[in-house]
């Protein structure tokens, strides 16, 4: 019963990890980290991501332009690029490591210790990937809030607000961390099954003596 419960926990953790990894990849490349609506021209909506800035017009036309220079970016965007790429790589590595350690997979069935090690390593990688996603998303969101409520900026200047990718990144980081935690906990709670010790079987003659029966002579011929 406990084994089936942990198998379900592993399946749920793997599903959360995959969902979080896909969401993290979308967050990395989606130009929706920040959103800006101009009061003078309400027909245009500006959005910013880690790699480019886009303008969406009412006609449905979207024009995007990549950031000019990596060194010219603000520190939060530069570090967010590196952390998000690291998160994507660790998330993929964690899924690949944890998959052979799941119960029901025939890989390493005769080596339960190896399966536990794979689950622990994969869970640790996924947890690190979750933190690598939450940190840059929260950092960019924090700076966005500071800039929005900055009293030194005139009120007529438009302010950047949260984009859809910000919320998606929070969900992605939470899914990765929760999936890695479930996989690691299931690995710690799984016990290796020990083979029963071989029983010593007595020879038939000894069994007959134990039952009170005389042993049968091997050769009853008389030698004259």
């Amino acid at each position: 019963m406990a084994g089936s419960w942990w198998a379900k926990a592993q399946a749920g953790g793997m599903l959360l990890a995959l969902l979080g990894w896909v969401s993290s990849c979308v967050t990395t490349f989606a130009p929706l980290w920040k959103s800006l609506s101009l009061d003078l021209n309400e027909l245009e909506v500006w959005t910013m991501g880690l790699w480019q800035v886009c303008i969406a017009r009412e006609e449905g036309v979207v024009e995007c332009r990549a950031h000019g220079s990596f060194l010219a970016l603000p520190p939060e965007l530069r570090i967010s690029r590196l952390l998000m790429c690291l998160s994507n790589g660790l998330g993929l590595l964690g899924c690949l490591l944890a998959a052979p350690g799941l119960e029901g997979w025939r890989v390493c069935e005769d080596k339960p210790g190896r399966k536990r090690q794979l689950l622990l390593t994969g869970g640790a990688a996924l947890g690190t990937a979750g933190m690598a996603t939450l940190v840059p998303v929260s950092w960019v969101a924090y700076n966005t809030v500071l800039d929005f409520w900055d009293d030194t900026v005139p009120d007529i200047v438009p302010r950047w607000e949260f984009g859809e990718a910000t919320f998606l990144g929070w969900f992605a980081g939470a899914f990765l961390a929760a999936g890695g935690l479930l996989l690691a906990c299931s690995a710690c709670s799984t016990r290796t099954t020990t083979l029963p010790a071989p029983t010593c079987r007595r020879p038939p003659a000894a069994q007959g003596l134990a039952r009170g029966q005389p042993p049968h002579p091997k050769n009853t011929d008389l030698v004259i």
Side-chain angles (χ1 to χ4, degrees), residues 148-172:
F148 187 87
W149 296 107
D150 191 358
D151 296 334
T152 61
V153 180
D155 294 337
I156 60 175
V157 177
R159 312 293 178 93
W160 289 99
E161 300 182 9
F162 292 160
E164 290 82 355
T166 303
F167 302 98
L168 183 62
W170 278 325
F171 281 110

Side-chain angles (χ1 to χ4, degrees), residues 32-36 46-48 76 140 144 160-163:
L32 298 171
W33 284 57
K34 294 182 180 181
S35 178
L36 177 64
W46 291 62
T47 58
M48 178 187 295
E76 65 269 16
V140 173
T144 303
W160 289 99
E161 300 182 9
F162 292 160

Side-chain angles (χ1 to χ4, degrees), residues 74-120:
E76 65 269 16
L77 293 184
R78 280 182 291 171
I79 298 178
S80 295
R81 276 191 185 185
L82 300 176
L83 289 179
M84 291 303 295
C85 292
L86 177 64
S87 172
N88 296 338
L90 286 177
L92 178 60
L93 179 63
C95 292
L96 293 178
L97 288 176
L102 298 176
E103 293 186 13
W105 281 55
R106 295 186 177 181
V107 182
C108 299
E109 272 191 343
D110 55 340
K111 298 178 181 179
R114 179 68 57 84
K115 292 179 75 70
R116 286 206 318 273
Q117 291 177 359
L118 290 174
L119 277 178
L120 282 174

Side-chain angles (χ1 to χ4, degrees), residues 1-220:
M1 186 67 179
S4 62
W5 192 90
W6 282 117
K8 295 179 181 178
Q10 290 177 6
M14 196 66 187
L15 181 61
L16 285 176
L18 289 173
L19 183 59
W21 177 70
V22 173
S23 302
S24 178
C25 293
V26 174
T27 303
T28 302
F29 299 102
L32 298 171
W33 284 57
K34 294 182 180 181
S35 178
L36 177 64
S37 297
L38 301 177
D39 295 334
L40 299 178
N41 188 2
E42 298 180 354
L43 303 181
E44 292 183 354
V45 177
W46 291 62
T47 58
M48 178 187 295
L50 299 180
W51 308 94
Q52 55 188 357
V53 178
C54 296
I55 305 175
R57 294 185 171 86
E58 186 184 15
E59 299 84 3
V61 180
V62 179
E63 298 180 2
C64 296
R65 184 182 63 182
H67 293 300
S69 174
F70 176 79
L71 297 178
L73 292 174
E76 65 269 16
L77 293 184
R78 280 182 291 171
I79 298 178
S80 295
R81 276 191 185 185
L82 300 176
L83 289 179
M84 291 303 295
C85 292
L86 177 64
S87 172
N88 296 338
L90 286 177
L92 178 60
L93 179 63
C95 292
L96 293 178
L97 288 176
L102 298 176
E103 293 186 13
W105 281 55
R106 295 186 177 181
V107 182
C108 299
E109 272 191 343
D110 55 340
K111 298 178 181 179
R114 179 68 57 84
K115 292 179 75 70
R116 286 206 318 273
Q117 291 177 359
L118 290 174
L119 277 178
L120 282 174
T121 307
L126 290 170
T128 307
M131 296 303 299
T133 299
L134 291 174
V135 169
V137 173
S138 301
W139 189 7
V140 173
Y142 175 74
N143 288 335
T144 303
V145 172
L146 289 182
D147 294 339
F148 187 87
W149 296 107
D150 191 358
D151 296 334
T152 61
V153 180
D155 294 337
I156 60 175
V157 177
R159 312 293 178 93
W160 289 99
E161 300 182 9
F162 292 160
E164 290 82 355
T166 303
F167 302 98
L168 183 62
W170 278 325
F171 281 110
F175 288 161
L176 285 170
L181 183 62
L182 274 177
L183 293 174
C185 291
S186 65
C188 294
S189 301
T190 303
R191 298 181 179 179
T192 58
T193 57
T194 57
L195 296 176
T199 57
C200 297
R201 299 184 61 184
R202 290 179 294 182
Q207 294 179 3
L209 290 176
R211 292 194 297 265
Q213 298 177 0
H216 298 283
K218 295 182 180 180
N219 190 3
T220 56

